[in-house]
C-alpha cells in the first residue's frame, strides 16, 4: 500500500485551552500511523492566543502547520484549509476534525482504514450501530442533533446516510478537486451537508464508521442561531436545486390541472353528466401532460422505447392515477354533496400527481442509455 500524505484540518476560534493537548494527542497517533500525517490548524484570528500555542508546538513538531484568516464561519475555514492542504501541502487525504476533543484522536486510524479500504468519503458516524452521543445530553440537545440529521436526510435527499451533519470525516483529495467550493454557497455549519451532498451527487463511495461523540470539556460551542437558519435554508436549496425534474413535472402537472378543470367546466356547461365529464377531462389532461413531459421534462433522458410505447406506458400509469383521482371525486361527492363538484375534482388531482411522478420517472421515462460497443 502506497504511503499517502494525510492532512488533519483543525478549525479553531478561541481554542487556546484545547489545541495544544489536541496536537500532542494526534502526534501520538502519528507515530504509528501507516501514512504521513500532518496537522493544519486553521485559526480565525482567535483573540485568546490560540495561534501562539500552535506556534510553540511548531518548534517541537515539524508536521504542524498554521493558517490564519478572518472569522467567516466553519465552512469558510474548512474551504480555506482544504485549498491550502491540496495546493500547498499536496495532500492526498484531508480530515475534518474538531479541536475540542469531541472527536477522539484514537479514531483517526479507524477512519483512515475505511478510506484505505476503497471509500472516497468516510464519516465518523454517531448514528450507526456502535456510534453514540453523550448520555448527559438533554432532550433539546438531542432533538437539535437528530432534527438536523432529519432535515439533511429527508429534505436534502440523502436518505441512505445516517449522520449527515457529522464534523469528523476523512476525504480523498481526488474527490475534493472535482468540487467547486464557491458553488456550495455556504460559510457556516451548513458546509458539512453541502459538501456531503456534492460528494454523493458525484457518485463518491461513502462509508460510515461508528464513533462516540464526546461533549467538549473546555471552551464554548460556536453554533449560533444564524448557523441553524443557514443550515435549514441550505437543505431546502439543495432539495430544490437537485429536484429540477420534479419541479418541471409539477409545472406540467399544474398545466394539466388547468386543462382538466377547464375541460370539466366546459363539459358541465354543455350539460354533460358530471360522472362522465370527470374521466373525459382527466384523459384529455393526461394526453397534454404526456406530450409536455416527453418533450420537456424528461427530454434529456435516453430511452429505447418508441414514443408510442412511452405513450402507452404513460396512459397505463395514468389509469392508476385516474382510478385514485376518480375514486376520491366519487367519495367526496357522496360525503359532501353540497360542495361544488369542481372542488371535489381539484382535491382528487393531488394524490394522483405523486403516483404519476414516481411511476413515470422510474418506468415510462426511465433513463436507459444504449450499450457501448
Amino acid at each position: 500500500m502506497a504511503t499517502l500524505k494525510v492532512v488533519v484540518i483543525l478549525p479553531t476560534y478561541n481554542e487556546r485551552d484545547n489545541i495544544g493537548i489536541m496536537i500532542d494527542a494526534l502526534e501520538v497517533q502519528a507515530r504509528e500511523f501507516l501514512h504521513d500525517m500532518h496537522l493544519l490548524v486553521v485559526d480565525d484570528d482567535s483573540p485568546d492566543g490560540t495561534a501562539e500555542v500552535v506556534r510553540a508546538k511548531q518548534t517541537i513538531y515539524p508536521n504542524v502547520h498554521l493558517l490564519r484568516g478572518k472569522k467567516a464561519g466553519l465552512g469558510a475555514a474548512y474551504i480555506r484549509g482544504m485549498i491550502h492542504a491540496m495546493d500547498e501541502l499536496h495532500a492526498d487525504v484531508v480530515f475534518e476534525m474538531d479541536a475540542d476533543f469531541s472527536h477522539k484522536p484514537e479514531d483517526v486510524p479507524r477512519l483512515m482504514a475505511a478510506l484505505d479500504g476503497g471509500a472516497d468519503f468516510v464519516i465518523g458516524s454517531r448514528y450507526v450501530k456502535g456510534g453514540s452521543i453523550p448520555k448527559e445530553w438533554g432532550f433539546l440537545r438531542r432533538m437539535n442533533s437528530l432534527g438536523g440529521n432529519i432535515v439533511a436526510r429527508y429534505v436534502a435527499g440523502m436518505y441512505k446516510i445516517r449522520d449527515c451533519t457529522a464534523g469528523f470525516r476523512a476525504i480523498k483529495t481526488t474527490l475534493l478537486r472535482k468540487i467547486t467550493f464557491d458553488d456550495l454557497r455556504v460559510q457556516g455549519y451548513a458546509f458539512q451537508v453541502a459538501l456531503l451532498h456534492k460528494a454523493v451527487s458525484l457518485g463518491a463511495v461513502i462509508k460510515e464508521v461508528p464513533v462516540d461523540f464526546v461533549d467538549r470539556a473546555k471552551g464554548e460551542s460556536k453554533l449560533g442561531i444564524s448557523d441553524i437558519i443557514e443550515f435549514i435554508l441550505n437543505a431546502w436549496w439543495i432539495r430544490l436545486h437537485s429536484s429540477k425534474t420534479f419541479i418541471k413535472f409539477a409545472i406540467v402537472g399544474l398545466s394539466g390541472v388547468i386543462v382538466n378543470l377547464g375541460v370539466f367546466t366546459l363539459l358541465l356547461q354543455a350539460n354533460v353528466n358530471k360522472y362522465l365529464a370527470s374521466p373525459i377531462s382527466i384523459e384529455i389532461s393526461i394526453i397534454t401532460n404526456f406530450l409536455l413531459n416527453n418533450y420537456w421534462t424528461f427530454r434529456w433522458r435516453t430511452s429505447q422505447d418508441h414514443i408510442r410505447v412511452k405513450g402507452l406506458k404513460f396512459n397505463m400509469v395514468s389509469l392508476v392515477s385516474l382510478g385514485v383521482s376518480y375514486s376520491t371525486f366519487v367519495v367526496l361527492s357522496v360525503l359532501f354533496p353540497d360542495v361544488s363538484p369542481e372542488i371535489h375534482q381539484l382535491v382528487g388531482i393531488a394524490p394522483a400527481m405523486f403516483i404519476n411522478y414516481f411511476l413515470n420517472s422510474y418506468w415510462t421515462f426511465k433513463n436507459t442509455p444504449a450499450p457501448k460497443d
Side-chain angles (χ1 to χ4, degrees), residues 238-259:
I238 288 172
R239 184 63 175 180
L240 290 174
H241 189 69
S242 62
S243 299
K244 291 179 180 178
T245 301
F246 179 76
I247 293 172
K248 286 184 176 181
F249 191 87
I251 292 172
V252 172
L254 179 59
S255 72
V257 171
I258 295 172
V259 171

Side-chain angles (χ1 to χ4, degrees), residues 50-166:
T50 297
E52 284 67 29
V53 175
V54 177
R55 292 192 182 101
K57 293 298 180 182
Q58 285 182 298
T59 64
I60 304 172
Y61 307 117
N63 64 333
V64 174
H65 311 271
L66 175 64
L67 180 64
R68 303 199 72 191
K70 293 182 179 179
K71 191 175 188 299
L74 180 69
Y78 267 129
I79 290 172
R80 195 164 74 246
M82 288 174 177
I83 292 174
H84 185 84
M86 291 188 290
D87 295 349
E88 303 299 328
L89 302 180
H90 309 292
D92 299 301
V93 174
V94 298
F95 270 73
E96 296 181 19
M97 187 174 182
D98 290 349
D100 60 5
F101 285 90
S102 294
H103 308 137
K104 297 178 180 179
E106 56 266 33
D107 285 334
V108 168
R110 295 175 55 239
L111 268 65
M112 190 64 214
L115 215 62
D116 286 334
D120 301 307
F121 194 119
V122 179
I123 301 170
S125 180
R126 301 161 291 179
Y127 298 116
V128 293
K129 185 177 180 180
S132 71
I133 56 177
K135 295 180 180 178
E136 60 270 20
W137 274 7
F139 176 77
L140 291 179
R141 181 72 185 276
R142 288 175 181 271
M143 289 301 100
N144 182 51
S145 178
L146 289 170
N149 265 292
I150 289 172
V151 169
R153 292 180 68 192
Y154 296 103
V155 174
M158 296 181 287
Y159 314 106
K160 295 181 180 180
I161 299 172
R162 300 297 299 275
D163 197 344
C164 298
T165 60

